[in-house]
Amino acid sequence: MTSAAFDVLGIGNAIVDVISHSNEAFLGKHGLVKGSMMLIDEARAEALYAAMGPGIEVSGGSCGNTMAGVASFGGKGAYIGKVRNDQLGGVFGHDIKAMGVSFETPSATAGPATARCLILVTPDAQRTMNTYLGACTGLGPADIDAKRVASAQVTYVEGYLWDAPAAKQAVLKAFDAAHAAGRLVSITLSDSFCVHRYRDEFRALIRDKVDILFGNEAEIKSLYQVDTFEEALEATRKEGKIAALTRSEKGSVVIKGQETYAVPAAPVAKVVDTTGAGDLYASGFLFGFTHGKPLAECARLGGLAAAEVISHVGARPEQALKALI
């Protein structure tokens, strides 16, 4: 590829995570489906926040976590996402810049508050997410700078953006700008419930626009409405794209045409919180990819990053990932 100012440009929902340990009884009492991501309104967000136990606040958002990981590997990253000029907006902006990611999207000065995700972690390390999108929904085509997109080797987005119509238009504008500049685009499917909501759109997008696809076993089976991972793998292969598909403790499988690379998961002494595992896998993979590594090595780096993030609470690395390579 021609030289680029950035390895990866991420576009996502700029969210501050509030993470709290919980139990099955709490989930049942509040009608929550374990392991899911539910969109909630501001009133529901306030009520759940009041009911939750003590929590930690840390900047998150799927794509934001990925970009933090790219930077932690030593890569050059940029991020586009919308926050409000409020306390949580300031927290988000500070945290992502402190990780070394370029973040220049103007904050909203009116309208909904900065987004937050209330994450309940059960003893089995599963996370149940309740997201108030708030200011995120203000992200639109006007926030996409085509020159900035053209300056990144890969533009990476989260499927969650499809929940906001203006954000979806922003993504399509970015994808077109990237391809016009001879760059690549990538998407993560984000969540099996998200796939269920936008299955037909995602399949068309992958067929027509996407170069690199990320998804986990549940998401890819939902996308192609099949019962086994093997069936999903072959359906994905027919798209002719690079696809990196994660399988939790079974590691990941990467395909490109008829090439297949099955890479085992990196060892983890104790799984504490699975929040961000897929996000950090993508960071390692994209860092490797934009630095010319073979696909199997990209997957290995993804596994290392995922292993680091699930060993502690929070969806961003606590130690420099470049030290793990």
Side-chain angles (χ1 to χ4, degrees), residues 83-173:
V83 296
R84 177 74 198 271
N85 62 339
D86 54 17
Q87 183 204 350
L88 288 182
V91 168
F92 185 91
H94 169 269
D95 286 357
I96 198 160
K97 291 174 185 174
M99 289 292 298
V101 178
S102 175
F103 176 53
E104 297 181 358
T105 313
S107 299
T109 56
T114 295
R116 74 285 315 255
C117 182
L118 308 179
I119 302 176
L120 299 158
V121 183
T122 38
D124 58 2
Q126 279 288 316
R127 75 272 192 258
T128 302
M129 300 184 287
N130 304 273
T131 305
Y132 167 59
L133 287 176
C136 283
T137 58
L139 181 73
D143 293 304
I144 303 300
D145 179 347
K147 289 183 179 177
R148 196 164 172 81
V149 173
S151 69
Q153 289 188 54
V154 177
T155 291
Y156 170 83
V157 308
E158 57 188 70
Y160 288 135
L161 289 171
W162 255 246
D163 284 317
K168 178 166 68 174
Q169 296 308 313
V171 169
L172 295 175
K173 177 182 175 180

Side-chain angles (χ1 to χ4, degrees), residues 174-196:
F175 278 7
D176 289 344
H179 283 149
R183 305 300 192 182
L184 299 179
V185 303
S186 178
I187 190 171
T188 176
L189 294 174
S190 293
D191 179 285
S192 56
F193 292 86
C194 188
V195 173
H196 180 73

Side-chain angles (χ1 to χ4, degrees), residues 242-306:
I242 295 172
L245 307 175
T246 57
R247 309 188 72 192
S248 300
E249 70 279 359
K250 295 178 184 175
S252 64
V253 178
V254 181
I255 57 174
K256 180 186 180 184
Q258 293 307 305
E259 300 172 40
T260 305
Y261 306 94
V263 178
V268 185
K270 183 185 179 187
V271 178
V272 175
D273 173 14
T274 56
T275 309
D279 306 335
L280 270 293
Y281 176 89
S283 75
F285 189 98
L286 290 170
F287 171 79
F289 185 83
T290 55
H291 285 78
K293 305 296 185 188
L295 292 177
E297 175 65 4
C298 295
R300 187 185 78 85
L301 294 176
L304 284 174

